[in-house]
Amino acid sequence: MRIPAHSVCTAIRDDIVAGVYERGGRLTEELLARRYGVSRVPVREALRTLEAEGFVVTRRHAGACVAEPTEQEASDLLEMRLLLEPLGAARAAQRRTEAHLKVLRGLVRLGQERARRGNSEDLRSLGGWFHETLAQACGSPALTSTLAQLRHKIAWMYTAEASASPVESWAEHGGIVDAVARGDSERARAITALHTERATAAHRLRFPGQGERADRVRTSQHAVNMSGVRH
């Protein structure tokens, strides 16, 4: 069975974000195909997509390599998110479905419960799902895709400290959902802008220092075709 290129793309992107492949490291089609248990065709397609997204660059005499974003590029991503997350929430207030609201309310309930218990690892995952669902509710495939790429790149370039006030943070999530449910675009935009600004302040660059880049590739945590993976 042929593995879709988008599945290979997701796997490689996830491993880049997780630091499996070092910045500037080569990404050869043969090694990637062997690692994920696929042919070189979907790998080649995936690398083209990842280059368009900014995770991969093609260098003369080296081929595909993991990109090495600058601090300015990383800073620009946070600024873009400050602008686009509130826009997405405002659009969601106009275009969300009942299915979106059901998922968002369920995530808020879980998040508020975990926040009271102080389970930070659960909160990180729930927060990611919340913002992904909110972006999907905006009714704009282009904006949803852009926000997803921003989240991936920010997770790659930054570490995020746990919220000092998780209960307050999840109260803001609840306020966003209430505004979206009422169709109040301006309220949804305002609360999301405040929430995103606070979250941005907790981000710290994870760029390695000069000369610290390793020449090795760590072992991947997953494969696309589990039955066909060869190590």
Side-chain angles (χ1 to χ4, degrees):
M1 182 179 68
R2 186 175 184 274
I3 304 300
H6 68 81
S7 297
V8 181
C9 183
T10 297
I12 298 174
R13 185 195 300 111
D14 287 349
D15 280 344
I16 289 174
V17 170
V20 172
Y21 304 113
E22 299 289 344
R23 289 179 178 82
R26 291 186 63 194
L27 297 168
T28 64
E29 291 179 10
E30 182 180 357
L31 291 178
L32 291 173
R34 187 159 61 244
R35 179 177 294 277
Y36 299 108
V38 298
S39 73
R40 294 174 64 169
V41 173
V43 168
R44 190 174 304 124
E45 294 176 25
L47 290 176
R48 283 198 291 265
T49 298
L50 292 170
E51 183 169 16
E53 292 179 357
F55 288 96
V56 171
V57 295
T58 299
R59 292 183 175 146
R60 190 177 181 182
H61 306 309
C65 299
V66 179
E68 298 180 89
T70 65
E71 289 190 23
Q72 183 60 62
E73 289 170 334
S75 178
D76 288 346
L77 291 175
L78 292 181
E79 188 170 354
M80 289 170 64
R81 190 175 69 168
L82 284 170
L83 296 171
L84 295 180
E85 288 276 8
L87 174 62
R91 291 291 182 269
Q94 299 168 344
R95 304 170 181 174
R96 89 294 183 279
T97 65
E98 287 302 316
H100 290 132
L101 283 178
K102 182 177 181 180
V103 174
L104 288 168
R105 284 169 171 155
L107 289 169
V108 167
R109 281 196 301 272
L110 283 173
Q112 291 176 338
E113 177 186 322
R114 299 294 193 276
R116 288 192 293 270
R117 294 182 181 179
N119 193 326
S120 60
E121 286 306 310
D122 279 356
L123 289 177
R124 192 179 301 276
S125 297
L126 288 170
W129 293 336
F130 176 89
H131 287 287
E132 181 178 340
T133 304
L134 185 63
Q136 291 171 352
C138 78
S140 167
L143 182 53
T144 299
S145 175
T146 299
L147 285 169
Q149 286 190 37
L150 281 174
R151 283 193 298 275
H152 288 310
K153 286 187 177 181
I154 289 170
W156 175 36
M157 299 181 196
Y158 290 90
T159 57
E161 299 172 358
S163 172
S165 304
V167 173
E168 181 179 352
S169 178
W170 277 92
E172 290 173 356
H173 284 106
I176 293 169
V177 175
D178 288 343
V180 168
R182 293 195 306 270
D184 189 339
S185 297
E186 290 309 310
R187 179 66 174 166
R189 184 194 298 269
I191 300 176
T192 304
L194 175 63
H195 178 75
T196 305
E197 186 174 352
R198 288 178 177 173
T200 296
H203 284 72
R204 301 290 179 266
L205 272 173
R206 64 163 94 228
F207 290 129
Q210 281 294 100
E212 290 182 10
R213 191 176 69 210
D215 293 326
R216 59 186 173 78
V217 174
R218 293 175 222 154
T219 303
S220 175
Q221 298 301 308
H222 62 275
V224 177
N225 181 5
M226 298 301 292
S227 62
V229 173
R230 297 183 295 278
H231 297 284

